[in-house]
Structures are given as C-alpha cells and as structure tokens.
Amino acid sequence: MEILGNLVGGIGHAVSPLNLALLAAGVLLGMVVGVMPGLGPSAGLAILLPLTFSLDPTGAIVMLAAVYYGAMYGGTITSVLINTPGESATVASTFDGYPLAQQGRAGPALVMAAVASFVAGTVGTLMLSVAAPVTAGVAESFGPPELFLLVMAGLLTLIVVIGKNRLLGVISAIIGFALATVGIDIGGGEQRYTFGSPELINGIDFIPVAIGLFGVGEVLWTLYNGGHLERLRYFKLKAGSQGFWPTRTDWRESRGPSVRGSFLGFFVGVAPGAGATIASLMSYSLEKSLSKRPERFGKGAMPGLVGPEAANNAATSGAMVPLLTLGIPGSAATAVLLGGFLMWDLKPGPLLMEQEPDFAWGLIGSMYLGNAMLLAINVFCIPIFASLARVPFRDLAPVILVMCALGTFTVNDSIIEVGIMAVCGVLGFFMRLFGLVPAATVIALVLGPMAEETLRQSMIISGGSFAVFVQRPGSLVLLGVIVVLSLLPLYGAWARRRAPDQSRSGERV
C-alpha cells in the first residue's frame, strides 16, 4: 500500500502544468530523435541535455526520460517504412516490420507496434514501481567495497554483452577511466593531467565527451557509410485510409507476444549492459521458437514485430532500476541521464527515494503519463512522423553538428569544451571503425570517480588489505558475478572449438 500511495503522489506531482508541458515536449522530441536515422536515444539525449539547464531538476529529468523512451517508439517508424532502424534497439523490428510494409500493411504494423509499446511501457513502469524500492532497500546495506565491486560488475557485463571483441571493450572502458582521472586528485588534492590549464582543474566535463562520441561520432560514422547518398524508398500512409487499422487476427496474434516481450524486456533491461537491443533480439527468437508457423517469420509475421517492440520499450523501464537505486547506468542512454542527475546535484542511489521522494516518484509517475501520450501520438500522428523519415541525411547532418557545437558551448561558455567535443567526435568515429565500444567509454567516465572514491575508502577501512572484498556476503555475491562474467568468454571460445570437433566425429561415424 505504501508503494501505491507513493505512486499516486508521484503522478500527482507529475501532472503540474509545467511538468506536463515538458513531458509532452520530451515525448515529441524523442519521437523525432528516433525517426531520424543516424541519431538514437543516447545521441539525442546528449545533444538536448544542455537545453534543460534552465529548468528545475524534476522537469528536466522528466523531459529527458521522455526523450529516452520516446526514441524507442520513433525508431520503429523507420524500421517499418524504410527498413532502416532508428537505432540498434529497433534492428529486430526490421525483420518482419519491413516485409509487412511491402505487403501494404505498414499501417497495421505501426499501430500494433505502438500498442505493444504502450503495454510494455505500462507493465515495465508498474514493475519499476515495485522493484525500485526493494532494490534500494537491499542496496542500503552496501558499503564502499560492495559499491566498488558493483561498478566493476556493471562494466564487465557491458563489455561481455556488447561488442564482438572483449579486449576492445576493456580498452574502451580504460579510455573512459583515463578521462575520469583528469582534474584534482580526490585523495591528495594534487592536479592530475591538467597540463597547466585552469579549464581542466575540475576535470573533463561529461557533456562534451557524450555529445562528441554519440552526436558528432554518429554523424561521421553515418557519412562514412554513405548515409548522405542513400535514396530511401518509403510507403505513404494516411490514417483514414482503408487497411490502415489492424484486423482481429492481428490483435489476437499480438496478445501473447506483447505480454511475454514486456516481462522479458524488463528483466533483461535491469541487467547492466544488456539493454533494449539484446532484449528485442531475445524476444524475436522466443516468439519464433513458440510459433506454430515459424516459417512466417522474416516474411511479415505480426508477432515477429510486436514481441521485439514490447521488449525494447520494457527494457527502458528496467534500465531505470539500477540507475535510480544504485547509480549504475546500464547503457549509453542511461549514462547520459546519470550525467543529467549529477548536473543538478541529484545523486542516484539507495537514499534517493528517501531523500528526494517527490523527484523519484514524480519521475516514475511521469512514465505512466508519457506512455499514454506516446500511444495517442503514434496512432494518430504516424503519417506526420513518417514524413520526417524522408529528410535526407545530407541535409540533416550539418544541423546536428551545429546543434552539438552550440549545446556544448552554452553549458559553461567554454571554447575548450567545444574542442574536446570535436576531438571526442573523431575519437567516436574511429572507435566505431575499429570495433571499440563508445558506450563503455561513457559509462566508465561517469562511474570513474565513484570507482576511485569507493576503492580508496575500502583501502582506508581495511588498512590496505584486499581482504575487505571477501568479508561480507554482498561482496562475495558480487565477486561471484564478476568471476562468472570473466569466465563466460572463455566458455564461449571452448564451446566454439568443441562444436567442429563433434561435427567431424559425427561425420566419421
């Protein structure tokens, strides 16, 4: 009952006229960000973050969170209409979404995807309302050793799950940790790697790095891949036209995938590093394995679109659990959100829901309202947003670059930070080119100070002995998780070597 009371109070806090206006602006901007190929939630959040500095903390985070889950909706439109995912979480939506559009069923596909996203968003937010206080209660017993191991486990999960080469993932995280060391040594007070520049005494700010890696870097990567030369085929839509609305069969086939995708996506989203992309691909595989007609998948099966759509939207709610209760971002987009929290002196963690209940529950309550807004926008404004997908990237790229530069400069009126953004943009491009993971770099940059501080505190508590990490049950559990994550790549390599040997022995028999 206490959770229900807090939730009702949070919704009441979120329905103030200003917060509702910011919520509406956030979901609309999120849709636009998702519709435009070459962006995505992390890039969109990084670019828009400076625009929220004049707002109060609750309104700003409500708006940014709406951009986050709104972009998931928007990315589906390009996946279905032009076979181009707005970002990686909607890749699975192209498998059956585009074939449905080729069959003249783009309208039903987009409507059912919007309904599945609404169901998943609602289920995910309900589960967030229950899971967040429970997780926060458990995390209250964590001391510096547990927090340090938690940071390491979160980064290791990201490295193991994302990217084909784990070594490159480790290098990506090390780059982030290295950037986090610039500034004042929290232990001795000496300057580190500032090279005599007063601009760097407070460290390298998160915003220019995030905007560079995700905004400028994505633009350069898209241009490198010929995005400015593409001539996109698209399907015209009209809400009142015949065949725009789903049939009874569509509704019947979509019930199970919507529910299964919602629960699967939430639990996958809670795990740091897994995120919406993994959730959507897992949901697609699950629906195909459960289907009585798996041969339809890839040729225009509605469950093959609805399941992944539900999963990637529920994963956004799941990712908010470790962010709010532990201060651990599980993806690049939540790392940008964490940067926003820190900008307003809001420290996500076990005490957030006790010290800032209006803010925490107002954010959760706004997610209910935001999903309802997105359903209405998606169903009745799909043709309008579909027209945005036809904007050529060669026209869009200069606008994005100018927004990146202006957004970076307006934060601290620092031309040096604009230079840092430009350097990080080039770095982000080469990271993508050589298989490194920009998300790991950003998350390590955000978590670097926390990791350093908790490690120092642990060493002070133990007098320099690493035995402090094996003295409490929580530390032992986290160490076990780290060991399992470290062994997973080795097991995968062993299984791949064993598979050909077994096939050859079978052939001899």
Side-chain angles (χ1 to χ4, degrees):
M1 291 301 293
E2 182 181 356
I3 292 176
L4 182 60
N6 288 329
L7 182 58
V8 172
I11 293 175
H13 189 65
V15 295
S16 69
L18 177 59
N19 285 343
L20 282 177
L22 292 172
L23 181 63
V27 296
L28 287 170
L29 287 170
M31 286 287 296
V32 172
V33 166
V35 163
M36 293 181 176
L39 285 179
S42 53
L45 284 169
I47 295 169
L48 294 172
L49 184 59
L51 303 180
T52 63
F53 284 163
S54 60
L55 304 174
D56 71 280
T58 301
I61 297 296
V62 163
M63 178 179 170
L64 290 173
V67 172
Y68 174 37
Y69 52 82
M72 296 296 179
Y73 281 73
T76 308
I77 294 177
T78 55
S79 296
V80 172
L81 296 182
I82 59 177
N83 201 29
T84 304
E87 47 94 31
S88 60
T90 55
V91 168
S93 300
T94 63
F95 299 162
D96 282 285
Y98 188 66
L100 283 166
Q102 290 178 309
Q103 298 168 15
R105 307 201 67 226
L110 289 173
V111 172
M112 289 310 307
V115 172
S117 298
F118 171 74
V119 171
T122 303
V123 170
T125 309
L126 281 169
M127 296 179 72
L128 169 62
S129 304
V130 176
V134 174
T135 307
V138 173
E140 283 183 0
S141 62
F142 283 9
E146 289 85 0
L147 291 175
F148 174 75
L149 292 174
L150 188 64
V151 171
M152 294 299 103
L155 275 172
L156 193 56
T157 305
L158 183 74
I159 292 167
V160 169
V161 173
I162 297 179
K164 298 179 180 179
N165 190 312
R166 273 80 183 196
L167 177 61
L168 295 179
V170 172
I171 294 172
S172 304
I174 290 174
I175 292 173
F177 279 127
L179 293 174
T181 61
V182 176
I184 300 294
D185 180 0
I186 60 175
E190 298 88 358
Q191 293 187 29
R192 300 185 302 192
Y193 312 117
T194 60
F195 304 102
S197 172
E199 296 269 2
L200 296 177
I201 289 177
N202 292 324
I204 294 179
D205 197 71
F206 165 81
I207 290 177
V209 176
I211 292 178
L213 289 178
F214 296 126
V216 178
E218 287 293 330
V219 170
L220 295 178
W221 177 251
T222 305
L223 292 174
Y224 175 78
N225 285 294
H228 59 298
L229 302 176
E230 290 184 1
R231 294 181 178 273
L232 300 175
R233 179 188 175 190
Y234 60 91
F235 299 89
K236 293 183 179 180
L237 290 172
K238 189 175 180 181
S241 62
Q242 186 176 5
F244 179 83
W245 299 102
T247 64
R248 290 184 179 179
T249 302
D250 293 329
W251 290 101
R252 186 175 62 254
E253 289 183 338
S254 300
R255 285 185 302 220
S258 295
V259 175
R260 287 190 292 269
S262 299
F263 285 94
L264 173 65
F266 179 83
F267 288 111
V268 172
V270 170
T277 303
I278 303 298
S280 61
L281 293 172
M282 289 177 64
S283 176
Y284 186 84
S285 298
L286 175 65
E287 295 307 322
K288 187 174 182 179
S289 64
L290 294 177
S291 175
K292 296 179 180 179
R293 298 177 59 190
E295 70 278 359
R296 294 172 54 210
F297 281 68
K299 301 176 183 177
M302 191 64 76
L305 171 65
V306 169
E309 276 302 301
N312 70 39
N313 279 276
T316 62
S317 299
M320 298 297 285
V321 175
L323 177 65
L324 289 175
T325 60
L326 302 173
I328 303 295
S331 65
T334 50
V336 180
L337 272 178
L338 178 58
F341 278 86
L342 299 177
M343 288 293 174
W344 286 284
D345 291 327
L346 294 166
K347 295 183 179 180
L351 300 179
L352 178 67
M353 304 193 85
E354 289 185 11
Q355 297 175 348
E356 301 286 348
D358 289 343
F359 167 77
W361 287 104
L363 174 60
I364 295 174
S366 73
M367 295 177 71
Y368 285 94
L369 303 175
N371 276 288
M373 286 185 182
L374 282 165
L375 177 63
I377 291 170
N378 269 265
V379 171
F380 297 105
C381 301
I382 284 174
I384 297 174
F385 283 101
S387 65
L388 293 175
R390 302 198 292 268
V391 177
F393 190 78
R394 58 181 175 272
D395 298 333
L396 189 62
V399 176
I400 296 173
L401 292 176
V402 170
M403 289 178 62
C404 289
L406 289 176
T408 302
F409 182 77
T410 55
V411 176
N412 295 313
D413 294 333
S414 172
I415 196 66
I416 288 182
E417 291 191 348
V418 177
I420 292 173
M421 176 213 71
V423 171
C424 288
V426 176
L427 175 64
F429 166 74
F430 281 106
M431 290 181 77
R432 292 286 300 272
L433 184 64
F434 293 108
L436 278 80
V437 187
T441 300
V442 170
I443 293 176
L445 172 63
V446 173
L447 296 179
M450 178 182 175
E452 182 180 3
E453 181 180 3
T454 53
L455 179 59
R456 284 178 181 268
Q457 291 172 342
S458 300
M459 292 296 97
I460 292 172
I461 292 170
S462 65
S465 171
F466 286 97
V468 71
F469 294 110
V470 295
Q471 291 175 349
R472 296 173 58 170
S475 298
L476 291 173
V477 170
L478 290 169
L479 275 174
V481 171
I482 290 174
V483 170
V484 171
L485 290 171
S486 301
L487 293 177
L488 276 178
L490 298 177
Y491 174 77
W494 175 81
R496 285 191 296 270
R497 287 196 302 268
R498 184 177 174 82
D501 294 339
Q502 289 180 337
S503 63
R504 284 195 294 269
S505 63
E507 290 173 0
R508 287 194 296 270
V509 173

